[in-house]
Amino acid sequence: AAEFGLGEVLAVRWIGGGAGLTSQRLPVVETAGGRYVIKRLKAEGPDDARFAMGYVQHLQAHGIPIPCVAKQTMAGAAGEDFFATIRDPSTGQDAFYAVERWTEGRGISRRDASPQTLRAVGALLGRIHAASPAYQPDVQRHPEHFSFDGVIAAIAAADSPWRQALDRHLPD
């Protein structure tokens, strides 16, 4: 918490991961400066992490409601980053972590997939797609795991619950 200027840690609790993180438990840290969640980035190196954090900042600047990412306050070059690099002692590999301000919310289940919910999700996805082409990263690396292609393919698959919900609510 000190590396990100969050203040004294008052409590830590663990929660199950969200979409795409179902097997990962995430620490929620209560500090004197507020509540934060620590997330391991799916990054193969610091350029991937910078690309992802730059994209988050870009979307925030375009009004996309994404939790604020805490800026690392350590001295030196790392203090300019919005992620921390920590060597995993079990593998000897670097891992990259971001700290986000905690945002209350809930997942959307199949039961919640009403026409209004689907329209809202679609509208937000449209805003993300509209803002994305203007992103000009300092790092010119576009790893495949940041691509929307995999997400779109998963949603479009015939056996996808999202596809089935869309099929029920959208005209032919």
Side-chain angles (χ1 to χ4, degrees):
E3 292 173 342
F4 286 89
L6 306 179
E8 179 186 354
V9 174
L10 305 175
V12 177
R13 68 182 170 100
W14 292 84
I15 61 169
L21 299 171
T22 53
S23 64
Q24 182 181 9
R25 291 176 39 86
L26 303 172
V28 178
V29 180
E30 190 80 38
T31 73
R35 187 179 297 161
Y36 298 87
V37 63
I38 301 171
K39 294 182 178 179
R40 184 171 179 170
L41 301 174
K42 292 181 182 177
E44 295 177 10
D47 284 348
D48 290 354
R50 281 187 196 90
F51 177 90
M53 294 294 93
Y55 185 61
V56 166
Q57 291 175 299
H58 171 79
L59 293 177
Q60 287 171 335
H62 284 82
I64 306 298
I66 296 175
C68 292
V69 179
K71 186 170 184 177
Q72 190 174 11
T73 58
M74 290 173 32
E80 298 172 9
D81 294 330
F82 284 79
F83 64 91
T85 305
I86 300 171
R87 185 161 304 258
D88 183 335
S90 65
T91 65
Q93 300 294 315
D94 285 342
F96 306 92
Y97 293 85
V99 178
E100 295 179 358
R101 183 167 291 281
W102 177 257
T103 302
E104 291 296 332
R106 64 179 176 83
I108 299 173
S109 71
R110 291 178 70 182
R111 249 189 344 247
D112 296 329
S114 69
Q116 296 83 6
T117 300
L118 292 172
R119 275 192 287 280
V121 169
L124 180 59
L125 184 58
R127 288 176 53 206
I128 291 170
H129 281 279
S132 294
Y135 178 47
Q136 299 295 317
D138 293 333
V139 178
Q140 295 301 319
R141 186 162 181 214
H142 300 272
E144 186 167 310
H145 55 262
F146 291 119
S147 168
F148 287 109
D149 293 343
V151 174
I152 299 302
I155 290 172
D159 61 346
S160 160
W162 286 104
R163 169 69 182 270
Q164 293 166 11
L166 286 168
D167 287 345
R168 284 194 307 272
H169 296 289
L170 297 176
D172 290 330

